[in-house]
């Protein structure tokens, strides 16, 4: 939904643009036939009508060379048609030819080429054309360029273009401001977008319903759903009635906040006010209800769709089936599968495969086999994905023989056995500890092994602590130019860290980068966790700085590991510096990171500073958790302030902030 909503302002603004463009064309270049039609113009019109654009371009150039000025309206039409086919260079040639002929080229012709440049990503060409226009540009000149820049995340450049627009005394339209408002909301946040809205109002440019929908969407994206709902309620006071986009946007915000009862109330209000929900509304509701475990509500939505002129589709039904299976309700999923016809759609391979997966996970192998046969009877034969799903789960459960039987059946259904199937079997052998069988299969594969094959075998060897064999297999993998990925390296890094070979793990990470494979957060956090367990803050900091200097992106968990070891070594000031650095990078430290520092301060018997740090934590939008309060209470007790500790503890109990069981569990 987040990606669908912004398309509504664009679609409406394009319609608005086309309507105004039509008016402009009709008013500035009426096509009333003259008493003596120009033969060249008549021929040009015919060439454009039959889409012979190359010949039409040559005709304009030929006419101009004889001193005849071409018809500007027809030139503009040719420019538009050339741009639609991506031939912007030819379109620019036509415009230059018309200019050179002395024809009265107007703003509409320039706007057509500017829009063509922007449509095909030639934004710099569009800017140069606007800067060199001999006629005053209008809002339709600038808006496609501003939209093109915003679509590519170049909001700063878009604002610079707006400044240029105002400097040339060209008043932006409501569409121009709305495009900017939407982009600023996405890139800079709702607060910055309000500055654009203030400027819009200062220029006496009245927002329209699309503008307000963008504002509502910006609020919802930041979780400010109640404020968005207030705007929704005030729309009638601004002279607008909320439309389907308005309601759908707020409904999505409420769904994201899991405020299910409010969703029910607002949807009823929407229908009650004769604002008809559309396919996007229903699609969003079904997806969110399923994601939130509200499967019955999702089914109710499917049932309501036909009442509002919408129809359910197989994709939506598959989402519901998947949600039911995730709850372990395989029988209900099977029943829903058999009643999909009531919603106007039929099950597809994905529908059956999802239920099949649920049956396999429940260990109902016989029912799964029956479902395979049913698929074929219902003209929905299983494909490779269906078989591989079944085979993978069988192998994970150690049912290798059943998996092999299933593999033998695949050709009967026209399915080929490929590396994905064999990888599942290799994994099954490794899970059972049957490495010899896994390698026997590996050495006799009828197809080339891939990265997953090698990584699966490496995992098995590491679990069996056969390090020499793992090193040999890794060398073979490199020799055969089989690409190593981050998962391959993570298997080895994790093994080295578990065995206490931290130096070897660090060396492996640097080798990983030499092979062009960037470590991910799992790699880094595994490594830092091993380093910090030894309370080796210098080594942790050295690794951290080395990775940052190589451009590796880190998360708050990574930095929390470093803060943890610094705090345990009583290097609190440096831990706080790391926390500030995390904030400067735009990340929000979680309570875990703050708690590490609070604990260190309390151990120093600096409870006053710990309380100040707690206030700082809250002021930065991070709410304390139970561990935070327990750390402070223990700090007070550690300093001998038992009365104060008991008072705080009793107060927190009475307000329901702390649970006695939780406190007892931590002791």
């Amino acid at each position: 939904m987040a990606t669908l909503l912004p398309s509504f302002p664009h679609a409406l603004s394009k319609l608005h643009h086309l309507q105004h463009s039509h008016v402009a064309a009709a008013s500035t270049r009426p096509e009333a036939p003259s008493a003596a039609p120009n033969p060249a113009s008549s021929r040009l019109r015919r060439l454009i009508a039959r889409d012979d654009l190359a010949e039409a371009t040559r005709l304009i150039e030929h006419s101009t060379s004889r001193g005849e000025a071409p018809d500007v309206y027809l030139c503009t039409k040719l420019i538009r048609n050339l741009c639609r086919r991506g031939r912007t260079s030819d379109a620019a040639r036509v415009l230059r030819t018309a200019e050179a002929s002395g024809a009265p080229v107007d703003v509409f012709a320039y706007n057509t080429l500017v829009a063509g440049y922007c449509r095909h990503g030639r934004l710099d060409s569009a800017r140069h054309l606007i800067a060199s226009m001999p006629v005053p540009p209008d809002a339709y000149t600038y808006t496609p360029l501003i939209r093109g820049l915003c679509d590519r995340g170049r909001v700063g450049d878009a604002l610079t273009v707006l400044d240029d627009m105002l400097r040339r005394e060209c008043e932006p339209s409501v569409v121009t401001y709305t495009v900017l408002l939407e982009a600023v909301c996405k890139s800079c946040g709702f607060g910055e977008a309000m500055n654009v809205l203030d400027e819009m109002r200062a220029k006496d440019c009245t927002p329209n319903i699309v503008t307000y929908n963008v504002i509502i969407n910006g609020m919802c994206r930041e979780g400010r759903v109640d404020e968005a709902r207030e705007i929704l309620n005030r729309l009638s006071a601004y002279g607008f009635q909320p439309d389907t986009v308005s309601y759908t946007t707020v409904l999505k915000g409420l769904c994201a906040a899991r405020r299910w009862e409010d969703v029910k109330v607002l949807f009823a209000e929407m229908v009650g006010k004769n604002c008809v929900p559309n396919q996007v509304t229903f699609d969003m509701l079904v997806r969110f209800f399923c994601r939130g475990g509200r499967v019955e509500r999702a089914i109710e939505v499917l049932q309501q769709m036909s009442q509002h002129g919408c129809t359910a589709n197989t994709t939506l039904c598959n989402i519901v089936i998947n949600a039911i299976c995730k709850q372990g309700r395989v029988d209900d999923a099977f029943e829903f599968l058999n009643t999909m016809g009531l919603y106007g759609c039929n099950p597809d391979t994905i529908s059956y495969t999802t239920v099949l997966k649920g049956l396999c996970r429940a260990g109902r192998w016989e029912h799964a086999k029956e479902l395979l046969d049913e698929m074929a009877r219902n003209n929905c034969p299983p494909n490779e994905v269906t078989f591989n799903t079944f085979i993978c789960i069988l192998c994970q459960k150690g049912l290798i023989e059943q998996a092999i039987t299933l593999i033998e059946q695949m050709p009967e259904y026209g399915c080929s056995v490929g590396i994905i199937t064999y990888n599942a079997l290799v994994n099954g052998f490794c899970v059972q500890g049957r490495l010899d069988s896994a390698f026997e299969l590996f050495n006799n594969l009828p197809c080339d092994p891939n990265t997953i094959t090698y990584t699966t075998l490496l995992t098995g060897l590491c679990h069996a602590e056969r390090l020499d064999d793992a090193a040999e297999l890794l060398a073979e993998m490199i020799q055969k130019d089989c690409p190593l990925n981050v998962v391959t390296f993570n298997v080895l890094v994790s093994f080295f860290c578990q065995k206490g070979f931290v130096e070897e793990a660090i060396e492996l990470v640097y080798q990983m980068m030499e092979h062009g494979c960037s470590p991910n957060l799992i790699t880094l956090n595994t490594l830092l966790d091993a380093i910090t367990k030894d309370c080796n803050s210098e080594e942790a900091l050295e690794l951290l700085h080395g990775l940052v200097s190589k451009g590796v992106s880190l998360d708050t968990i990574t930095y929390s590991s470093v803060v943890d070891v610094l705090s345990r070594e009583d290097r609190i000031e440096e831990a706080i510096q790391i926390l500030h650095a995390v904030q400067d990078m735009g990340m929000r430290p979680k309570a875990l990171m703050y708690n590490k520092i609070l604990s260190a301060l309390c151990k120093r018997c600096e409870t006053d500073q710990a309380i100040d740090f707690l206030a700082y934590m809250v002021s930065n939008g991070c709410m304390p958790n139970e561990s935070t309060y327990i750390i402070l209470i223990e700090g007070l007790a550690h300093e001998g302030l038992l009365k104060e500790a008991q008072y705080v503890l009793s107060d927190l109990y009475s307000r329901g902030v702390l649970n006695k069981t939780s406190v007892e569990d931590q002791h």
Side-chain angles (χ1 to χ4, degrees):
M1 188 65 186
T3 56
L4 293 175
L5 281 175
S7 66
F8 285 97
H10 291 176
L12 288 172
S13 64
K14 284 176 183 174
L15 177 61
H16 187 217
H17 191 167
L18 287 171
Q19 289 169 340
H20 280 259
S21 299
H22 177 74
V23 172
S27 61
T28 59
R29 289 186 304 280
E31 282 195 276
S34 59
N38 185 330
S41 293
S42 298
R43 187 180 172 213
L44 180 60
R45 183 178 283 104
R46 288 195 300 273
L47 289 169
I48 294 171
R50 68 171 183 249
D51 211 27
D52 192 347
L53 306 185
E55 187 60 32
T57 303
R58 282 193 290 272
L59 177 60
I60 288 174
E61 291 173 338
H62 180 65
S63 299
T64 303
S65 68
R66 294 187 314 192
E68 297 176 9
D71 183 295
V72 174
Y73 175 81
L74 293 176
C75 284
T76 304
K77 198 170 183 180
L78 178 56
I79 289 167
R80 183 195 63 201
N81 289 2
L82 286 165
C83 286
R84 282 177 176 173
R85 286 154 184 78
R87 296 166 59 182
T88 51
S89 296
D90 291 338
R93 202 168 86 227
V94 171
L95 183 65
R96 287 195 299 270
T97 302
E99 287 175 327
S101 72
V105 181
D106 61 13
V107 68
F108 191 84
Y110 288 101
N111 289 354
T112 304
L113 183 54
V114 167
Y117 278 144
C118 294
R119 192 180 303 119
H120 295 285
R122 296 183 59 182
L123 303 183
D124 290 337
S125 297
R127 292 182 82 165
H128 291 146
L129 179 59
I130 292 171
S132 64
M133 282 173 59
V135 295
D138 60 18
Y140 297 113
T141 315
Y142 281 100
T143 301
L145 176 58
I146 288 173
R147 176 179 283 114
L149 290 166
C150 288
D151 287 346
R152 288 159 180 79
R154 296 167 59 183
V155 180
D157 290 339
L159 291 169
T160 301
V161 171
L162 179 68
D163 291 339
D164 177 59
M165 189 177 182
L166 296 170
R167 191 165 48 251
R168 294 178 71 171
E169 298 182 350
C170 177
E171 290 297 324
S173 68
V174 63
V175 177
T176 315
Y177 276 118
T178 300
V179 168
L180 268 172
L181 192 68
E182 182 181 15
V184 173
C185 268
K186 286 180 181 177
S187 64
C188 309
F190 177 73
E192 287 296 321
M194 288 302 94
N195 294 332
V196 177
L197 185 64
D198 291 341
E199 183 175 328
M200 179 179 181
R201 287 170 171 157
K203 296 289 181 183
D204 292 326
C205 184
T206 305
N208 61 17
I209 186 62
V210 180
T211 315
Y212 284 113
N213 284 345
V214 167
I215 293 168
I216 289 169
N217 191 35
M219 288 176 166
C220 289
R221 282 165 63 93
E222 294 187 10
R224 299 164 66 172
V225 191
D226 290 324
E227 294 173 66
R229 199 165 178 183
E230 285 179 23
I231 295 286
L232 183 76
N233 294 335
R234 289 206 302 265
L235 279 176
S236 56
Y238 300 146
F240 303 101
Q241 288 303 314
D243 61 10
T244 304
V245 178
S246 318
Y247 276 108
T248 301
T249 307
V250 180
L251 282 169
K252 184 189 174 191
L254 290 169
C255 284
R258 294 176 173 264
R259 292 168 55 176
W260 308 118
E261 286 308 309
D262 289 337
V263 170
K264 185 177 181 180
V265 170
L266 187 63
F267 184 78
E269 177 189 310
M270 178 183 184
V271 174
K273 291 188 175 180
N274 295 319
C275 183
V276 182
N278 61 16
Q279 197 76 31
V280 175
T281 315
F282 287 115
D283 187 281
M284 179 273 298
L285 288 172
V286 169
R287 289 174 187 274
F288 266 104
F289 281 140
C290 287
R291 203 179 301 165
R294 306 274 171 149
V295 180
E296 277 66 31
R297 291 284 293 274
I299 294 172
E300 286 175 17
V301 171
L302 287 177
Q303 293 167 345
Q304 291 176 322
M305 290 180 73
S306 60
Q307 301 168 21
H308 301 282
C310 296
T311 54
N313 54 51
T314 304
T315 301
L316 277 184
C317 288
N318 288 345
I319 290 168
V320 173
I321 290 172
N322 188 51
I324 297 172
C325 287
K326 280 185 175 178
Q327 293 180 349
R329 297 159 51 193
V330 189
D331 290 326
D332 291 339
F334 189 74
E335 183 182 344
F336 186 86
L337 178 79
N338 291 327
T339 58
M340 279 176 63
L342 298 175
Y343 304 104
C345 50
N346 295 314
D348 61 6
T349 306
I350 296 173
S351 317
Y352 282 106
T353 302
T354 306
V355 176
L356 185 80
K357 188 190 295 184
L359 289 168
C360 290
R361 285 183 173 159
R364 293 167 60 175
W365 312 113
E366 291 305 317
H367 289 120
K369 289 175 185 175
E370 289 172 12
L371 189 61
L372 271 180
D373 295 334
E374 183 179 320
M375 288 179 72
R377 288 196 303 271
N378 291 341
N379 294 319
C380 189
N383 57 19
E384 282 87 355
V385 175
T386 314
F387 275 107
N388 288 334
T389 299
F390 199 168
I391 290 162
C392 281
I393 297 175
L394 284 169
C395 290
Q396 287 167 7
K397 300 288 186 181
L399 302 172
I400 306 294
E401 302 309 321
Q402 291 190 42
I404 292 171
T405 302
L406 208 56
I407 290 170
E408 291 169 350
Q409 293 176 6
M410 288 179 70
E412 297 174 16
Y413 292 90
C415 297
S416 58
V417 183
I419 191 61
I420 295 174
T421 316
Y422 288 117
N423 283 345
L425 206 51
V426 168
N427 183 57
F429 284 130
C430 289
V431 166
Q432 285 192 320
R434 295 166 59 183
L435 289 177
D436 291 340
S437 299
F439 273 97
E440 183 181 349
L441 174 60
F442 172 70
N443 292 325
N444 292 285
L445 282 175
C447 52
D448 291 332
N450 62 13
T451 304
I452 296 173
T453 322
Y454 280 104
T455 303
T456 304
L457 288 167
L458 281 169
T459 305
L461 291 170
C462 286
H463 285 161
E465 300 191 12
R466 289 167 57 176
L467 191 56
D468 290 339
D469 290 336
E472 187 177 322
L473 185 65
L474 186 64
E476 178 187 322
M477 188 177 180
I478 295 168
Q479 181 189 353
K480 291 189 175 180
D481 291 326
C482 184
L484 287 78
N485 64 16
V486 67
V487 179
T488 314
F489 280 107
N490 283 350
V491 167
L492 296 169
V493 168
S494 177
F495 174 73
F496 283 138
C497 288
Q498 286 172 13
K499 296 301 174 185
F501 304 143
V502 180
E503 295 294 335
E504 289 81 357
I506 293 171
E507 179 60 31
L508 191 60
V509 169
Y510 285 114
Q511 285 182 20
M512 177 180 183
M513 290 188 281
E514 287 173 11
H515 279 86
C517 183
S518 298
N520 62 13
L521 294 174
I522 294 173
T523 324
L524 304 177
N525 293 337
T526 301
L527 198 52
L528 278 169
D529 186 55
I531 292 170
T532 54
K533 278 179 181 175
D534 294 334
C535 288
N536 194 334
S537 57
E538 289 302 328
E539 199 166 1
L541 287 170
E542 184 181 341
L543 177 65
L544 191 70
H545 292 146
L547 293 171
V548 170
S549 67
K550 291 182 182 292
V552 177
S553 297
L554 309 177
D555 67 352
T556 53
I557 297 173
T558 314
Y559 286 105
S560 289
S561 296
V562 181
V563 166
D564 180 28
V565 70
L566 288 170
S567 299
R568 280 190 279 137
E569 292 185 2
D570 201 31
R571 297 169 65 174
I572 300 175
E573 290 71 20
E574 291 171 79
I576 292 173
Q577 286 176 9
I578 295 286
L579 183 137
H580 289 160
V582 169
Q583 292 170 325
D584 292 342
M585 286 184 279
M587 291 188 278
R588 297 181 66 176
K590 293 185 168 52
L592 177 66
M593 192 182 296
Y594 285 102
N595 288 350
K596 301 291 184 187
I597 297 171
L598 280 169
S599 179
L601 287 168
C602 288
K603 283 177 182 175
R604 271 191 188 178
C605 295
E606 295 179 0
T607 312
D608 288 343
Q609 288 190 41
I611 292 169
D612 290 341
F613 191 71
L614 173 64
Y616 174 77
M617 172 182 176
V618 174
S619 69
N620 278 277
C622 182
M623 297 311 296
N625 56 22
E626 284 194 344
S627 295
T628 314
Y629 292 117
I630 292 169
I631 287 166
L632 283 174
I633 291 166
E634 288 178 344
L636 289 168
H638 184 61
E639 282 195 47
L641 303 170
L642 298 177
K643 186 176 179 181
E644 289 83 352
Q646 185 59 50
Y647 174 79
V648 172
L649 185 62
S650 300
D651 184 54
L652 292 173
Y653 280 155
S654 65
R655 288 193 283 132
V657 176
L658 280 184
N659 183 289
K660 286 188 178 182
T661 306
S662 299
V663 176
E664 289 166 1
D665 287 345
Q666 293 200 27
H667 290 77

